[in-house]
Amino acid sequence: MQQFRLRYRAHDIELPPGEFVIGRSEDCQLSIDDPMVSRRHAMFCVTGNSVILVDLGSRNGVAVNGDKISGERPMIDGDRITIGKHELLFCIVQPDSQRSRGFLARTLGPIELAKLESAVGGGKGPSTGTARVVASFTTLAQLADKALALGRPEDAERILNGPYAELMKEMGKGALVDTIVLGRFATYALRLATDLQKSMWIEWILEAYSLQKMLLPAPIIDELFNVAPKLKHLGQKPFFDYVNTMSESTLTANERFLLQRLEGLARHLT
């Protein structure tokens, strides 16, 4: 049986068999605090190897890949669902990461692929926590570079999804991440956001730095000014959430200026 997920604000949410309701009500499986979202806005019906998205008579409707649906719609891998100002990505989970593995096999060949899988999954090196995630990212980033150079950002995203999800999980448990390491993750996230036109990678950056209570570096903020205005469905809330978190910290005059720049950027987003 296939597995299904929603990616929302850089988090992967499992869609188990049965009904999965999204809405403003706290009784929903995914509750979104947004006045544009109805109390019971939409529902995913998961049965066997198929998923149907149903609009539950919401006031503002549900869009899939930019088109409003009427009633219900079957989901396919990669569909982008818009509810209010929020975007979710529907994913079909391929066992053993078959899709990215196929790209790696074509790029590296069987011998080098076996070495890579040993290094990332079962070889020697860090075995737990943040160190393992960073080691995996360092190895996989080289492959992502090749995918990006070949104009295949979707493959780069599939290659890097694992380390990004794992690092977010570690930070959610309180793990501290080196400034330089987090900067590397942020840099690749910006590239993915640019090439794929996906706002969730910007949201990942803001949430990661918020969890670390770390000020975004000036070069990252500069790049956000270039990337963020071009992305659809990137709202103000992730930026203001980050600004509010950082405002609680003791900041120098220069740091306050950087934070004000970010707040100014947020105010220009719709």
Side-chain angles (χ1 to χ4, degrees):
M1 181 181 294
Q2 288 182 313
Q3 293 180 305
F4 307 100
R5 288 179 186 165
L6 290 176
R7 171 155 283 208
Y8 174 59
R9 299 192 68 179
H11 290 283
D12 287 331
I13 303 169
E14 299 290 339
L15 285 177
E19 298 179 347
F20 186 96
V21 180
I22 299 175
R24 202 173 67 251
S25 171
E26 293 182 358
D27 295 330
C28 295
Q29 280 81 3
L30 176 58
S31 178
I32 299 178
D33 184 15
D34 183 341
M36 293 186 66
V37 177
S38 300
R39 289 184 60 79
R40 286 173 56 86
H41 197 107
M43 176 174 65
F44 290 91
C45 297
V46 183
T47 55
N49 290 323
S50 68
V51 178
I52 304 293
L53 174 61
V54 182
D55 184 344
L56 298 176
S58 63
R59 182 178 59 184
N60 293 307
V62 179
V64 176
N65 302 324
D67 298 322
K68 277 199 173 183
I69 69 171
S70 176
E72 60 184 47
R73 173 163 170 164
M75 291 283 94
I76 61 174
D77 189 30
D79 275 345
R80 299 167 71 173
I81 303 102
T82 305
I83 295 177
K85 292 186 177 181
H86 301 263
E87 182 180 278
L88 305 94
L89 179 69
F90 174 77
C91 305
I92 298 177
V93 181
Q94 299 289 352
D96 300 322
S97 303
Q98 288 176 350
R99 296 173 72 180
S100 59
R101 192 179 190 280
F103 170 77
L104 298 180
R106 293 190 300 273
T107 304
L108 297 177
I111 296 176
E112 290 301 317
L113 176 61
K115 291 180 181 178
L116 173 65
E117 290 177 332
S118 175
V120 173
K124 296 179 180 179
S127 59
T128 59
T130 308
R132 175 183 54 78
V133 177
V134 173
S136 173
F137 174 79
T138 301
T139 302
L140 293 175
Q142 300 174 39
L143 277 301
D145 284 335
K146 292 185 179 182
L148 291 168
L150 291 170
R152 302 180 66 166
E154 296 85 358
D155 282 314
E157 182 181 48
R158 285 192 285 270
I159 290 166
L160 294 176
N161 264 334
Y164 275 89
E166 287 295 320
L167 186 65
M168 185 63 73
K169 186 185 299 182
E170 292 295 326
M171 290 189 294
K173 293 188 291 188
L176 298 178
V177 180
D178 179 78
T179 305
I180 295 176
V181 169
L182 193 57
R184 286 199 67 206
F185 273 82
T187 299
Y188 275 92
L190 280 167
R191 292 179 67 182
L192 293 173
T194 301
D195 290 355
L196 295 167
Q197 289 294 289
K198 287 186 177 180
S199 60
M200 66 183 189
W201 289 108
I202 303 300
E203 293 168 353
W204 189 96
I205 294 172
L206 294 168
E207 184 169 357
Y209 276 85
S210 182
L211 284 171
Q212 294 291 294
K213 292 183 170 54
M214 189 184 295
L215 189 68
L216 283 161
I220 298 293
I221 293 178
D222 289 340
E223 191 61 24
L224 283 173
F225 270 84
N226 293 326
V227 176
K230 302 174 184 177
L231 300 180
K232 296 180 180 179
H233 312 302
L234 179 59
Q236 298 175 335
K237 189 176 186 302
F239 286 89
F240 285 130
D241 286 347
Y242 172 72
V243 169
N244 290 336
T245 296
M246 292 306 301
S247 296
E248 299 171 358
S249 305
T250 302
L251 303 174
T252 66
N254 185 55
E255 289 171 336
R256 283 197 299 273
F257 171 73
L258 291 175
L259 204 60
Q260 288 167 357
R261 286 191 66 206
L262 202 60
E263 186 174 7
L265 170 61
R267 295 189 186 282
H268 285 86
L269 299 175
T270 55

